Amino acid sequence: MYAVHRRSFSAISASVARARATPCVAQTLVRRIPCRHFVLPYRKIVESTGIIDTSDDEGLLYFDNLAPLQYNLWDLQHLVTRFILREDTSSTLQYIKEKAIPPNLPIEVEQIIPRGKEGGAIVKFRKNGQISDDEIENQIQAYLQENGVKPWFNPLRPIRSFVIKGVPWIEDLHRFPSSRLRVEFEGPDVDQETLYFYFRRYGLIRDITPPSSTSKDLPRYAIIQFVSVRGAAIARTCLYGVITKNATKLHIHYEPTIQKHIFRDWFFNHPRIVIPALAALIAGVTVIVFDPIRTWFIKQKITKRYSLSNNPIVKWIRTATVSTIDAIISTGSFGRFGLSKQVQSDLQIAFSDRRDSIEQLKILLNETPETFIVVQGPRGSGKAELVRDHAIKDYPNTLIIDCQKLIEARSDAAFIKEISGQLGYFPVFPWMNNISAFVDLIVQGIIGQKAGFSESVDSQFKNMLENAATAIKEIAIDNQKRTMKSAAVGAAVDEDVYETNPSARPAIVIDHYLYRADKNEAMYRALAEWASVLVMSKVAQVVFITDDVGYAKVLQDAIPTQVFNTITVGDATPDVARKFVLSQILAVTGEREEDVPESTLKDLDEALEPLGGRMTDLLTLVRRITMGESNKRAAVDMIRQSASEIIKRFLRTGDNKSWTSEQAWIIVKSLAKDEDIRYNELLLNPLFKNGQDVIAALEHAELITILERDGRPYKIKAGRPIYRAACQRLVNDKGLAATLEISTCTAISGLLATSIVKNEEELARLSQIGASKSVDVSERMKYLADDIRAKQAKISEYDKLMDKQKKVLGTEY
């Protein structure tokens, strides 16, 4: 391992023997010989006996603090040790002869053995006169102290030298210096006083632990704890193999200060403490390392600062490509199967009657946020397009969260992946959920409790929202700094920070809010609470787009003291719907409106009449007509599909429905007869007694729409304009109508029969009371008898109606 000279030591011995002819000449010659000639072949000693042989006139000196100590196998200081005490250099060894040994000391240096682990070297010398080992040691120590010899790597500790009293063991085992020494006794036990006498001169001793009197383990040993590691290293080198006064030979070894595998043993012995602490440590490291990265990616998602879509070169390529494709589509034979740029621009027609709503929304976005902005309307009315393509189209910083895609995620991993993509939350590891849950299950089986490695989807979702809130706040502050050109603006965020620059706030759009809310209520509540934090801290405007008329119940819990800014989006007017459909069709066919026959326009008006102004239905009609269907055929097919949808969703009985098919049929008949239904009149129907919840469920399912006035419901309309035509089609289906009429009459007759039974039971009790003549109950009995008579008459009428409908079933399919 350490320095050994490549030349044979026999040549060195011969040179020294010739120099001994004259002592003074010998000293001069010795000092002129390069020190590397005196380096003992260390590897030979280790591989042979590990012992340095000495004669009677020879001795050994140990010089300490020549190199750093090596505390373990991977100690980097060992590289310095190898550089200082390597075998192909003599600088350090020459330094020992010139700086550490007095010139007039009557000894001759014969060999030098580096001790890399101890950071020193053993010097073998021969005496040239009558001088004791103690005198040699005293003179060298005095010389070192007088000259203040200190190494460059440890200038605060001088080099020390001691005469070796024992027989040092030269080994290359993986035993590294320690402040604890294990002193084994080959012979009788040595008391503490004797051990202190031998060891104290090499360094301060903290404690001496004698061998146990009851222990029978061999060999017997004592533990000596030094204050410093170097003191223990010197003691081991100088006293190894020494024989004490009581004829006991000492074998000295390093005792590790830290017990082997102490951390591993403690880990396995205390899993209830270690595993939760490890989980907390992993979570902390994850937050420290990944959260800043994720926040940065969310900011880029909102600002689109490094997005290719904002690159001028990409914009030019896209513009050139799209214009070329539009030209090909508009002139090619396949133009009827696509929508050109002109067709896309005609979508503006559909929103021409909604300019007030768009302007109102833009004004609200430029105000200081104090509450939510809610855009509510039936499904397919164009709410999302109004917000995204018009209100926030030119807004600099926007973030859109689509709740429909989150709800439709089929697994927890898919949900995490979807929300992280919408927020720009990266990096994310959804596959770790299953692994963490499996590890948590194993740990629970071992220690009886969960370690916390796994994290629920709800908590992960909330953590993502917290990161997004941090990114949104930073964006708002950065925009304000950039606008105000003042670094002091971001020092504190209060209510008045963004008053001067409302556009500094990002706009957050939460689309399809409360879509299938019964599937994941926790997600919608978390979104509402997160949005309330953004609004109340005035760092962002939040816009909710929802079909659900009961949105206030959920949002009110997040901001209970504020009134929402609500924008209601309805269907397009007949004139706007006609212009939109006609412009779409003409743009695809390439015709002009003047060239369209009057009969075709009349057919189009007849087709649009039952469809109303619902945007999704208008687009479906355009697609059917451009695919080659006639106007009437397209409208009739759409009405037929809507009728089938009503049958499947509302008129068929099911376990998970909040209404019965008979209740749905009552509404279908009423909508087929009249355009709207009186809310309170519907509640008078026997099937809708206390039926407010049923009506609300049908509205939530989009069969109907409830209109309010002065804070109360007063009118019911079809959920979609086309549903009224579909209801008329269902009523005209004699077979279906007869079946449902029979079912409805049966249900109502059952309710009347139940009421008659209760009246009869009361009459029986009253007759007993009347027989006693204690109370006059004749008026009550007369009322019950008249009520029974009237209800029985109604049952008879329903029976006649059922007989009539049964005859219809005999002739109709």
Side-chain angles (χ1 to χ4, degrees), residues 174-349:
H174 288 177
R175 298 177 181 177
F176 301 98
S178 170
S179 60
R180 289 169 61 91
L181 294 179
R182 176 189 175 103
V183 183
E184 298 178 353
F185 306 139
E186 185 179 339
D189 291 353
V190 180
D191 55 33
Q192 298 183 55
E193 291 81 1
T194 304
L195 292 175
Y196 184 84
F197 171 77
Y198 278 98
F199 285 85
R200 175 59 184 84
R201 64 194 307 267
Y202 302 109
L204 292 174
I205 297 176
R206 180 171 296 167
D207 190 22
I208 298 177
T209 304
S212 175
S213 59
T214 60
S215 176
K216 297 181 180 181
D217 296 337
L218 295 177
R220 306 272 292 174
Y221 66 90
I223 299 295
I224 301 178
Q225 177 69 54
F226 278 82
V227 173
S228 66
V229 179
R230 284 200 176 273
I234 297 171
R236 179 184 182 275
T237 304
C238 295
L239 295 180
Y240 191 96
V242 71
I243 299 176
T244 62
K245 296 177 182 179
N246 61 347
T248 299
K249 188 176 182 179
L250 303 182
H251 298 275
I252 306 172
H253 306 286
Y254 296 118
E255 183 77 4
T257 304
I258 301 178
Q259 184 181 356
K260 277 188 176 182
H261 311 303
I262 183 172
F263 294 107
R264 184 192 66 185
D265 296 341
W266 194 86
F267 180 89
F268 286 107
N269 292 334
H270 303 81
R272 292 176 180 269
I273 300 175
V274 173
I275 296 179
L278 183 60
L281 179 62
I282 294 175
V285 171
T286 303
V287 169
I288 294 173
V289 175
F290 289 107
D291 272 17
I293 301 174
R294 290 163 175 165
T295 302
W296 186 87
F297 274 103
I298 294 174
K299 292 172 64 177
Q300 308 319 310
K301 175 76 173 182
I302 297 173
T303 60
K304 303 175 181 63
R305 186 173 302 168
Y306 300 105
S307 176
L308 289 177
S309 59
N310 293 333
N311 189 286
I313 299 177
V314 175
K315 286 183 177 180
W316 177 83
I317 295 175
R318 180 182 298 170
T319 302
T321 305
V322 170
S323 60
T324 304
I325 294 176
D326 286 343
I328 296 174
I329 291 177
S330 60
T331 58
S333 59
F334 51 89
R336 294 175 59 86
F337 299 95
L339 293 179
S340 66
K341 184 177 181 181
Q342 180 183 356
V343 176
Q344 295 295 336
S345 65
D346 286 339
L347 288 172
Q348 305 293 333
I349 299 175

Side-chain angles (χ1 to χ4, degrees), residues 472-535:
I472 292 168
K473 182 177 179 180
E474 292 179 1
I475 291 172
I477 294 175
D478 293 343
N479 291 341
Q480 182 69 2
K481 285 182 178 180
R482 193 177 298 110
T483 304
M484 302 301 293
K485 297 182 180 179
S486 173
V489 174
V493 178
D494 54 28
E495 295 183 356
D496 300 327
V497 163
Y498 308 106
E499 294 289 345
T500 58
N501 185 25
S503 62
R505 294 180 295 265
I508 312 301
V509 178
I510 301 179
D511 195 6
H512 294 105
Y513 188 69
L514 296 181
Y515 171 79
R516 296 172 63 181
D518 55 335
K519 189 175 180 181
N520 195 344
E521 294 182 3
M523 182 196 77
Y524 290 114
R525 296 192 181 276
L527 282 172
E529 293 174 0
W530 174 68
S532 67
V533 172
L534 297 178
V535 170

Side-chain angles (χ1 to χ4, degrees), residues 37-84:
H37 294 177
F38 293 89
V39 178
L40 182 67
Y42 171 74
R43 209 176 295 274
K44 289 186 178 180
I45 296 177
V46 173
E47 294 176 356
S48 56
T49 61
I51 304 298
I52 303 175
D53 297 328
T54 57
S55 59
D56 294 339
D57 59 344
E58 293 179 333
L60 298 176
L61 284 170
Y62 179 72
F63 287 87
D64 176 46
N65 203 25
L66 297 178
L69 293 168
Q70 183 181 1
Y71 293 97
N72 51 64
L73 186 62
W74 310 107
D75 192 352
L76 296 179
Q77 295 182 110
H78 181 50
L79 300 176
V80 180
T81 304
R82 295 187 63 179
F83 174 75
I84 296 175

